[in-house]
């Protein structure tokens, strides 16, 4: 997640995702409760699936080719800072609930969860190393996930993959949470470019609404829009998104 700039102004989730998320009746302060009723997400057309996969393969190949020299330099800096491993491997939940190993450049201390177990990352996370804070801000730590994209475990655009420990919690607290597992998880997504961190159940609820909206509106045009917004955030920070928010 990016650390550049102040936390962005959030869009109103109810206005952004009016269709599928309301059919699922996700909990809000207004309704004050939870409902177990859910509705299936509309599957993407076959042509969209093939186009999206072709784009993923080409884009991931280009990212690995261009990012390899950057990863080598950053890897040397990571190793030199604390002597720990360069790559970080972590199990995440993917399409249809299947677990897979996600790869990142390590941005936190090797013993980051030794004392308190699994935790959500946060802005200015004290567990991040000096090099880690820098690569997290620029999203350089995410480059190795292009390999996950090539393997077919991820896509460039989609709901961000969550850890099994958190999935177990969120599927209990947020009805319809498993709907987001109908597609491959992404390097970036509609929820990512609208709310950068998910450090609480309330944040996860808001992100789920954006994920459901993405499932409802899935198209190559929306994917390109998300990629464009992601690039603006990386280059200019969240202020660039706030200035153009609708």
């Amino acid at each position: 997640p990016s650390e550049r700039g102040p936390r962005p102004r959030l869009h109103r989730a109810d206005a952004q995702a009016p269709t599928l998320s309301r059919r699922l009746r996700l909990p809000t302060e207004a309704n004050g409760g939870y409902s177990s009723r859910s509705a299936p997400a509309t599957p993407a057309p076959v042509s969209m699936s093939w186009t999206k996969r072709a784009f993923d393969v080409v884009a991931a190949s280009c990212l690995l080719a261009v990012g390899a020299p950057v990863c080598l330099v950053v890897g040397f800096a990571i190793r030199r800072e604390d002597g720990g491993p360069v790559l970080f491997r972590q199990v995440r939940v993917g399409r249809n609930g299947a677990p897979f190993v996600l790869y990142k450049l390590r941005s936190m201390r090797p013993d980051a969860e030794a004392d308190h177990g699994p935790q959500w990352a946060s802005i200015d996370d004290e567990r991040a190393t000096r090099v880690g804070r820098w690569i997290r801000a620029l999203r350089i730590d995410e480059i190795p996930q292009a390999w996950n994209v090539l393997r077919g475990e991820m896509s460039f655009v989609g709901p961000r993959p969550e850890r099994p420990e958190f999935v177990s919690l969120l599927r209990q607290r947020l009805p319809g949470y498993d709907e987001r597992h109908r597609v491959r998880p992404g390097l970036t997504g509609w929820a990512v470019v609208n709310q950068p961190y998910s450090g609480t159940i309330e944040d996860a609820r808001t992100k789920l609404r954006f994920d459901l909206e993405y499932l409802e509106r899935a198209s190559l045009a929306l994917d390109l829009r998300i990629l464009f917004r992601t690039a603006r955030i990386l280059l200019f920070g969240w202020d660039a998104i706030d200035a153009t928010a609708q």
Side-chain angles (χ1 to χ4, degrees), residues 4 10 18 33 65 88 100 115 118 123 125 127 171 190 211 231:
R4 298 180 59 181
L10 302 183
F88 175 71
F100 71 97
D115 296 331
I123 298 176
D125 200 309
R127 299 172 298 164
R171 63 164 43 121
W190 189 230
D211 286 335

Side-chain angles (χ1 to χ4, degrees), residues 79-129:
R79 189 73 173 182
R80 185 175 181 179
E81 181 174 11
D82 60 16
V86 172
L87 282 178
F88 175 71
R89 302 171 178 85
Q90 191 176 72
V91 176
R92 299 290 180 100
V93 177
R95 187 180 187 183
N96 296 323
F100 71 97
V101 177
L102 177 142
Y103 297 92
K104 300 180 69 171
L105 292 172
R106 183 173 60 85
S107 63
M108 296 192 180
R109 303 189 312 267
D111 62 347
E113 296 186 339
D115 296 331
H116 304 288
Q119 302 175 58
W120 272 309
S122 62
I123 298 176
D124 298 324
D125 200 309
E126 63 179 12
R127 299 172 298 164
T129 64

